[in-house]
């Protein structure tokens, strides 16, 4: 059993992990993936299983997380040559997501074992006959959600709900994501290269841009759609970002710091952040943000723009109480079936509450533009870096230490 150096919780055993997957919250979440076109999802998974079992199929390395905190490079099926619209890419930098620690410890809703990694910058190594937007050798951001770019959802910018693939199709989430593989591998298959891949601008380091594939764009959508209008009405607009309120919570809170950096980049001067972990508080203070005690919510400001990243119904209710009249609250990473939301108070105060996932691909160009100009520097949140070869040890350090964001590279 791994040690508990950072004071964080231990990994679940296989028995504990699989028993937890039968809880009402997990079963409710699983049903979401079956709400549309069950046949499409079943066919996708069946095809992935057939490929994995095919005799003589070429193999590559992939980093697999198993119950009990086991992290190992294993031989996994190599992707097939790309179809006309697809591409093969070689990951060169992969970042941990805020959910990865919980997944690696078997303390998430996602069944183990699974192929890890979904925040990646990669090099294009092969393209299909109809691909025109990228070329072999290009460095690209690979959004973690699979999207075709052509369906009605994608044309509206709702790329997280692409209609050409099963719901919640994602890299790095194993069975729950549709078995699309993971970014911690020698190769990744991208089914819709022109729609998904975004070229890395010259001068941006791959290690800085890895999180753009998920957490960074998630943070951007929490702030950018709302803050400019609020600041135009009141330059002293308060922004309150509330992360995990339990210092033993397995999810990290890098996204909260990214959101604070976006708020600053877009002009906010009154930014408060809340999270129970000392490492988070130290990094937030070093970045110049006001850090508040999660145990004393009465000291939190009432803010026109709030973000609930607590992951609990009680946390959401608390954040809503600190959302100003006519204010906006974005709730992220809440996987509970019910939240007992104070509807009457929200109605009387004209609150706007947004609950849902980010449409990552739609936000990538705007985020990269902010990085090119130097207004947004996500590398300020990175705490650990290591090579692919050292990935198992580096990810164990991420799980049992105080890391916020770990970057793994092939260089």
């Amino acid at each position: 059993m791994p040690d508990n150096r950072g004071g964080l919780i231990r990994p679940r055993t296989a028995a504990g992990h699989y028993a937890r997957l039968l809880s009402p919250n997990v079963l409710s979440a699983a049903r979401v993936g079956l709400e549309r076109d069950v046949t499409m999802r079943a066919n996708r998974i069946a095809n992935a299983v057939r490929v994995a079992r095919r005799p003589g199929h070429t193999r590559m390395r992939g980093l697999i997380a198993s119950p009990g905190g086991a992290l190992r490079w294993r031989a996994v099926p190599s992707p097939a040559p790309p179809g006309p619209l697809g591409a093969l890419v070689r990951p060169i930098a992969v970042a941990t997501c805020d959910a990865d620690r919980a997944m690696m410890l078997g303390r998430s809703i996602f069944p183990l074992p699974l192929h890890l990694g979904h925040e990646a910058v990669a090099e294009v190594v092969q393209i299909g006959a109809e691909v025109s937007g990228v070329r072999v050798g290009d460095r690209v951001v690979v959004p973690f959600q699979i999207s075709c770019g052509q369906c009605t959802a994608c044309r509206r910018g709702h790329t997280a709900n692409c209609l050409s693939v099963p719901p919640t199709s994602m890299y790095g989430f194993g069975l729950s994501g549709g078995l699309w593989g993971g970014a911690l591998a020698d190769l990744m298959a991208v089914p819709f290269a022109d729609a998904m891949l975004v070229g890395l601008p010259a001068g941006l380091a791959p290690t800085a841009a890895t999180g753009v594939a998920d957490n960074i764009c998630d943070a951007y959508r929490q702030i950018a759609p709302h803050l400019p209008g609020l600041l135009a009405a009141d330059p002293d607009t308060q922004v309150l970002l509330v992360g995990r309120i339990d210092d033993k919570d397995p999810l990290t809170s890098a996204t909260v710091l990214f959101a604070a950096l976006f708020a600053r980049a877009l002009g906010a001067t009154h930014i408060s952040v809340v999270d129970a972990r000392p490492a988070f508080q130290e990094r937030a203070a070093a970045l110049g943000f006001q850090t508040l005690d999660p145990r004393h919510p009465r000291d939190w400001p009432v803010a026109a723009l709030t973000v609930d990243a607590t992951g609990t119904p009680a946390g959401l209710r608390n954040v809503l109480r600190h959302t100003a009249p006519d204010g906006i609250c974005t709730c992220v990473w809440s996987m509970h079936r019910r939240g007992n939301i104070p509807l009457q108070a929200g109605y009387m105060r004209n609150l706007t509450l947004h609950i849902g996932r980010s449409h990552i691909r739609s936000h990538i160009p705007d985020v990269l533009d902010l990085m090119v100009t130097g207004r947004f520097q996500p590398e300020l949140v990175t705490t650990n870096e290591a090579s692919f070869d050292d990935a198992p040890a580096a990810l164990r350090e991420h799980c049992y230490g105080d890391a916020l964001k770990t970057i793994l590279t092939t260089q």
Side-chain angles (χ1 to χ4, degrees):
M1 175 73 71
D3 66 18
N4 208 26
R5 290 168 287 171
L8 297 177
I9 57 177
R10 293 179 179 273
R12 282 203 177 105
T13 63
H17 170 66
Y18 295 124
R20 184 65 176 172
L21 294 179
L22 298 176
S23 69
N25 275 342
V26 177
L27 294 176
S28 177
R31 282 196 293 270
V32 173
L34 302 175
E35 287 179 345
R36 172 176 57 81
D37 205 336
V38 176
T39 300
M40 181 192 294
R41 191 171 193 88
N43 289 341
R44 166 68 206 170
I45 293 173
N47 182 65
V49 171
R50 281 196 298 270
V51 170
R53 293 179 174 177
R54 188 177 300 159
H57 192 89
T58 59
R59 300 273 164 168
M60 64 176 184
R61 64 175 178 171
L63 206 146
I64 307 299
S66 301
L71 299 166
R72 295 185 182 88
W73 286 111
R74 296 188 182 275
V76 300
S78 299
L85 302 178
L88 292 183
V89 300
R90 179 178 65 86
I92 56 177
V94 177
T96 55
C97 165
D98 280 346
D100 279 345
R101 175 184 284 157
M103 287 199 292
M104 289 185 282
L105 294 174
R107 293 183 172 272
S108 76
I109 67 170
F110 305 107
L112 299 177
L114 60 75
H115 186 171
L116 279 169
H118 63 270
E119 295 191 355
V121 170
E123 178 183 341
V124 179
V125 297
Q126 190 175 353
I127 59 175
E130 298 179 22
V131 174
S132 60
V134 296
R135 297 178 298 178
V136 172
D138 285 354
R139 290 184 169 187
V140 292
V141 177
V142 187
F144 85 103
Q145 297 157 335
I146 313 298
S147 61
C148 72
Q150 298 298 319
C151 69
T152 54
C154 286
R155 289 199 302 270
R156 295 172 62 195
H158 299 164
T159 52
N161 291 320
C162 175
L163 300 175
S164 297
V165 293
T168 64
S169 287
M170 308 173 285
Y171 296 113
F173 285 84
L175 183 65
S176 301
L179 297 179
W180 290 91
L184 285 167
D186 294 324
L187 292 171
M188 297 172 69
V190 181
F192 308 105
D194 283 343
M196 291 178 59
L197 300 178
V198 182
L200 186 69
L204 285 188
T207 51
T210 48
V212 174
D214 181 10
N215 283 173
I216 290 173
C217 284
D218 195 14
Y220 177 82
R221 62 92 181 206
Q222 296 165 23
I223 302 297
H226 317 298
L227 185 59
L230 294 170
L231 288 173
D234 179 7
D236 292 323
T237 291
Q238 292 269 0
V239 179
L240 174 65
L241 308 159
V242 185
R244 316 312 276 194
I245 53 179
D246 179 356
D247 64 0
K248 298 299 189 293
D249 195 297
L251 273 77
T252 52
S253 292
T255 303
V256 175
L257 290 180
F258 289 140
L261 289 173
F262 277 124
R264 176 184 289 166
L266 295 175
T269 56
H270 301 287
I271 305 167
S272 303
V273 296
V274 181
D275 194 278
R277 278 75 67 94
F280 174 97
Q281 295 166 5
E282 292 170 8
R283 182 56 61 102
L287 292 173
F289 299 116
Q290 181 182 22
T291 59
L292 302 175
D293 193 329
R295 298 169 298 179
H296 300 110
R298 291 184 179 181
D299 296 336
W300 303 354
V302 174
L305 179 57
T306 61
V307 173
D308 165 52
T310 64
T312 68
L316 171 59
R317 293 193 295 271
N318 215 350
V319 175
L320 287 172
R321 282 194 290 269
H322 288 83
T323 305
D326 297 295
I328 300 165
C329 174
T330 298
C331 173
V332 297
W333 254 115
S334 182
M335 298 302 294
H336 291 266
R337 291 181 300 154
R338 301 181 180 90
N340 193 20
I341 296 172
L343 291 178
Q344 184 182 66
Y347 173 78
M348 298 299 292
R349 291 159 57 203
N350 292 335
L351 299 187
T352 297
L353 173 61
H354 179 85
I355 301 175
R357 299 172 297 138
S358 176
H359 300 294
I360 297 297
R361 175 59 182 85
S362 298
H363 299 307
I364 291 177
D366 291 335
V367 169
L368 292 177
D369 285 346
L370 285 172
M371 292 176 64
V372 168
T373 61
R375 296 172 63 193
F376 175 70
Q377 298 175 289
E379 60 270 26
L380 296 174
V381 178
T382 300
T383 51
N384 298 40
E385 291 190 23
S387 72
F388 259 42
D389 290 340
D390 295 329
L395 291 175
R396 281 190 285 271
E397 178 64 26
H398 183 86
C399 286
Y400 306 115
D402 293 324
L404 290 170
K405 198 78 172 174
T406 295
I407 309 292
L408 303 166
T409 71
T410 59
Q411 318 232 327

